Every structure is written in C-alpha cells, then in structure tokens.
Amino acid sequence: MSKPNKEEWLKMAETFYQTCNFANCVGALDGKHIHVIKPKRSGSHFSNYKKLFSVVLFAVSDANYCFRYINVGSYGSSSDSAVFVHSDFGQMLNNNALDLPGNTTLPGTADPAMPFVFVGDEAFALGEHLMRPYSSRGLSLERMVFNYRLTRARRVVECAFGILSNKWRFVSNKRAACALYNFVRQKHEFNFEDSLVHSMESTNSTDVRGNTHGATFRENFASYFMSPEGEVPWQLQAMQS
C-alpha cells in the first residue's frame, strides 16, 4: 500500500467521478472496531462505547473498494477523528505531504479551482482536502443534495469493509487480511459481489469542528451538485426513496 503519486491520484479521482459522480474525490475514509481479548494491565484503553474490547482499523479506500492506506491498533476507546489525526496519513494530509495534484476546476466549469478531497462522515473535521456532511438540522435542498452525493462516494469504504468481513470471517493478522483482500480484488478484477453487510462495528462518532477554508470549498461542491454541469438526473428522487 505505497503512497500514490500525482498520476495515480488523478486515476483514482477519475474512477470516483465515473462510478460515484463525485468530482475531485480521491478516497473515502472510515474506521471500524476489531474485537480483541483484553490485554493484561490495559485498563479501559481498549474498551469501546459498547463496553467491548477492540482495536480500531482505520482505512482509506479507492472507488474500486481497494484499501490504499490502513492504520491498525489504536485503542478501542479512540474516536475516528483522534485515530485520523494521530495517523501517518492524517499528518501527511495536514502537512500537504500526500503529493496530491494541484487544484483544478470541476468538470464543465471555468472557475473556481477546487482541491482534490477525501470524503468521510461527521466524525472527521472539515478541511481543504477533507469533506464531511452538513449537520442534519435545518438543511436546505442544496445541502441535502450535497450530503446525498457525498454519501454515495463515502459508501465505497463501507463496501470494502463489508467485502473484507464477509470473505474472511476470521483472520488473526488484520494487516495481512487487508493486503490479501487487495490482491483478491485486483486478481478477480472487482467482479465478486459487493456488500455493506459486515460484522465489524462502527467507531464511536464524536462531532468535530472544521475550518472556514474547508467550509468554502464544501459550499462550492454543494452549488456544483445543483448546477446543470454537476447534477445527476436521479438525485432528487433518490433522496425521497
């Protein structure tokens, strides 16, 4: 799972755009609990919000449901945002060390130039390169459409966890499981059935604040998804189903 270069990020963004209709998206991120036997003298560190003992598997997936980055072993008591901030990936993203392509306009538009982004749920802080949903309270139609479009892109990491869990019910080495999973996905050319059903628990979601720079880019994405250039014909009907 080597760090992609600019050309690889661009290919990943093109796949997200073709399959999930989210332009300039290069990855979806999330965390799941992996149950463990409580380590000796560990106190409450490994106890999660369900009072079970676990470590957190934090992962970034591409649109082909392959893991591009994983972090395994954070305490089960940790939130997604804490695991992300302290991970190598989170630090590289915050320090602009991921070799992401430069800002570019969204398809069909002339301005403004937009960054390449990762998508996550409410547990992650909004940033220039990290999009999260709007709060569910008092949403305008434009913001509801944005949340729907982001969810379509973010669900690929949920699918990746589901496929991993359903294909290998038990593997003692979780790093090996993720690497083996990627190999099988590529070997079988992504043809076996995708699934959102899995036995891994979601991590506890702690709402975190973002920055104003990220908020501006999120507003630009939301406006784009409602424009003739960025809308998809089924988005309003899909939100009602």
Side-chain angles (χ1 to χ4, degrees):
M1 299 181 195
S2 59
K3 182 176 71 174
N5 56 35
K6 282 185 173 64
E7 291 72 22
E8 291 171 320
W9 287 124
L10 287 170
K11 290 180 181 178
M12 292 159 64
E14 179 63 22
T15 305
F16 264 102
Y17 182 56
Q18 295 297 329
T19 61
C20 303
N21 307 110
F22 201 114
N24 284 30
C25 180
V26 290
L29 44 87
D30 198 8
K32 295 295 178 185
H33 285 289
I34 306 295
H35 291 170
V36 297
I37 298 173
K38 180 184 179 183
K40 294 181 179 179
R41 297 183 293 278
S42 62
S44 61
H45 289 308
F46 291 92
S47 178
N48 61 38
Y49 68 109
K50 288 191 174 182
K51 307 303 180 183
L52 301 172
F53 300 107
S54 62
V55 295
V56 176
L57 167 60
F58 168 75
V60 179
S61 170
D62 63 24
N64 286 322
Y65 313 126
C66 280
F67 296 117
R68 305 309 299 241
Y69 173 86
I70 61 168
N71 178 288
V72 187
S74 295
Y75 295 138
S77 58
S78 302
S79 65
D80 275 354
S81 58
V83 174
F84 167 73
V85 167
H86 292 98
S87 69
D88 292 340
F89 178 85
Q91 294 178 27
M92 286 190 291
L93 181 61
N94 290 333
N95 294 325
N96 294 317
L98 283 178
D99 196 28
L100 293 175
N103 292 10
T104 185
T105 56
L106 300 177
T109 67
D111 63 81
M114 296 286 286
F116 285 84
V117 300
F118 297 88
V119 293
D121 60 19
E122 296 87 347
F124 298 96
L126 182 67
E128 178 179 357
H129 297 288
L130 180 53
M131 293 290 106
R132 54 165 278 175
Y134 287 102
S135 171
S136 59
R137 296 186 298 273
L139 287 177
S140 65
L141 178 60
E142 183 176 277
R143 293 187 173 188
M144 286 191 289
V145 168
F146 173 85
N147 284 359
Y148 164 71
R149 297 285 291 274
L150 182 141
T151 299
R152 290 191 71 242
R154 191 185 64 81
R155 71 185 295 273
V156 300
V157 69
E158 292 283 346
C159 286
F161 282 131
I163 299 165
L164 170 65
S165 178
N166 288 332
K167 192 163 185 66
W168 291 288
R169 295 292 182 181
F170 175 79
V171 180
S172 59
N173 186 320
K174 301 306 182 292
R175 291 183 185 273
C178 291
L180 180 60
Y181 166 89
N182 279 356
F183 173 79
V184 173
R185 289 295 292 171
Q186 295 160 4
K187 182 73 172 177
H188 291 272
E189 299 180 349
F190 319 110
N191 286 331
F192 58 79
E193 184 178 0
D194 301 330
S195 174
L196 284 171
V197 179
H198 55 78
S199 58
M200 293 183 282
E201 296 175 2
S202 298
T203 49
N204 50 316
S205 177
T206 302
D207 198 20
V208 291
R209 294 183 178 181
N211 57 51
T212 55
H213 204 188
T216 298
F217 287 123
R218 182 168 65 176
E219 291 290 338
N220 290 341
F221 272 114
S223 296
Y224 175 71
F225 291 149
M226 289 293 287
S227 71
E229 295 80 15
E231 68 179 356
V232 291
W234 65 85
Q235 61 189 26
L236 297 182
Q237 182 178 357
M239 290 191 304
Q240 298 171 358
S241 60

